């Protein structure tokens, strides 16, 4: 007597059970949600790093230029803003006029100031190389943008006093899955500079 066993090709495929479907669908959905979350967070972190890098580069250019001019100068005076005249009694502002030792005339010959256009949440830092006329953002050299603040502080001492320079960057809030990653405008870069002593 010959017994014929069914071949593997003759066997019918078993269908997916409801239990397997109920287990696999939530697992696939969870994996999909985790993937989207990781991608979203990674994108935000990358943007934050890129924004911070750009800010540091621009702020570094301002500090390098200002430090070079201040260190070669005899003295400097501060104005509360570029529309106000500098004063020896002003110790805090966002505009600084520098008197350079190479200039035999005792007048300011370089100025750095902050200007923000109406309706914008950030401004730019300008360098005025002709201070015989008032600073003008339309004519002066823009050396950094996307800044939310530029502050110059001077110790109330005579010639040779230290100047503290601080720049705040336009680090805006980033939304992650409906929540904000943190308060904006946190990035600050600062340094202390002393003009050349007589």
């Amino acid at each position: 007597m010959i017994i014929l066993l069914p071949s593997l090709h003759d066997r019918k495929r078993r269908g997916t059970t409801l239990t397997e479907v109920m287990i696999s669908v939530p697992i696939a959905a969870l994996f999909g949600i985790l993937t989207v979350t990781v991608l979203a967070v990674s994108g935000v972190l990358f943007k934050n790093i890129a924004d911070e890098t750009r800010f540091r580069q621009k702020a570094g250019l301002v500090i390098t230029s200002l430090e070079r001019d201040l260190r070669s100068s005899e003295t400097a005076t501060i104005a509360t803003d570029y529309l106000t005249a500098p004063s020896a009694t002003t110790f805090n502002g966002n505009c600084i006029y520098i008197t350079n030792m190479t200039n035999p005339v005792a007048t300011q010959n370089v100025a750095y100031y902050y200007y923000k256009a109406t309706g914008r949440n950030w401004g730019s830092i300008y360098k005025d190389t002709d201070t015989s006329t008032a600073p003008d953002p339309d004519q002066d050299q823009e050396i950094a943008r996307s800044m939310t603040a530029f502050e110059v502080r001077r110790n109330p001492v005579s010639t040779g006093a230290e100047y503290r320079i601080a720049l705040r960057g336009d680090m805006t809030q980033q939304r992650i899955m409906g929540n904000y990653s943190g308060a904006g405008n946190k990035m600050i870069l600062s340094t202390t500079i002393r003009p050349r002593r007589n």
Side-chain angles (χ1 to χ4, degrees):
M1 181 162 99
I2 300 173
I3 300 175
L4 296 173
L5 295 172
S7 68
L8 293 175
H9 297 292
D10 294 335
R11 292 181 183 172
K12 292 183 179 178
R13 290 190 61 185
R14 182 179 65 88
T16 306
T17 66
L18 182 60
T19 303
E20 290 172 333
V21 171
M22 291 175 63
I23 292 173
S24 63
V25 168
I27 291 174
L30 180 61
F31 180 75
I33 291 171
L34 288 175
T35 302
V36 170
T37 302
V38 167
L39 290 174
V41 171
S42 298
V44 169
L45 292 176
F46 178 77
K47 185 181 184 308
N48 287 345
I49 291 170
D51 287 348
E52 180 179 339
T53 302
R54 279 193 299 271
F55 166 74
R56 287 184 180 277
Q57 288 174 340
K58 290 180 288 191
L61 289 173
V62 173
I63 287 177
T64 300
S65 179
L66 211 159
E67 185 173 19
R68 182 182 60 243
D69 289 342
L70 254 180
R71 288 198 188 280
S72 67
S73 71
E74 180 180 0
T75 187
T77 50
I78 297 173
T80 53
D81 57 60
Y82 80 101
L83 297 172
T84 307
S87 168
T89 58
T90 302
F91 300 108
N92 183 23
N94 64 19
C95 180
I96 181 168
Y97 289 80
I98 300 172
T99 303
N100 198 298
M101 291 288 287
T102 60
N103 185 358
V105 181
T107 58
Q108 299 87 5
N109 61 353
V110 177
Y112 292 82
Y113 62 93
Y114 178 76
Y115 169 75
K116 182 175 76 170
T118 305
R120 290 204 172 175
N121 58 2
W122 57 268
S124 298
I125 297 174
Y126 290 84
K127 181 177 182 179
D128 182 7
T129 56
D130 180 16
T131 57
S132 60
T133 59
D136 183 357
D138 292 329
Q139 296 179 358
D140 298 328
Q141 176 189 4
E142 181 184 44
I143 55 177
R145 61 174 47 197
S146 297
M147 300 287 166
T148 55
F150 172 60
E151 183 180 36
V152 183
R153 287 181 178 270
R154 178 171 64 90
N155 293 335
V157 187
S158 60
T159 302
E162 291 182 343
Y163 291 81
R164 183 158 180 81
I165 312 298
L167 299 101
R168 189 184 294 268
D170 187 23
M171 311 297 288
T172 56
Q173 294 180 334
Q174 300 298 320
R175 194 167 188 135
I176 303 177
M177 301 301 286
N179 297 316
Y180 286 103
S181 61
N185 301 327
K186 285 185 174 180
M187 182 56 60
I188 299 175
L189 204 62
S190 64
T191 188
T192 301
I193 306 170
R194 182 185 294 273
R196 177 185 296 169
R197 292 182 181 277
N198 289 333

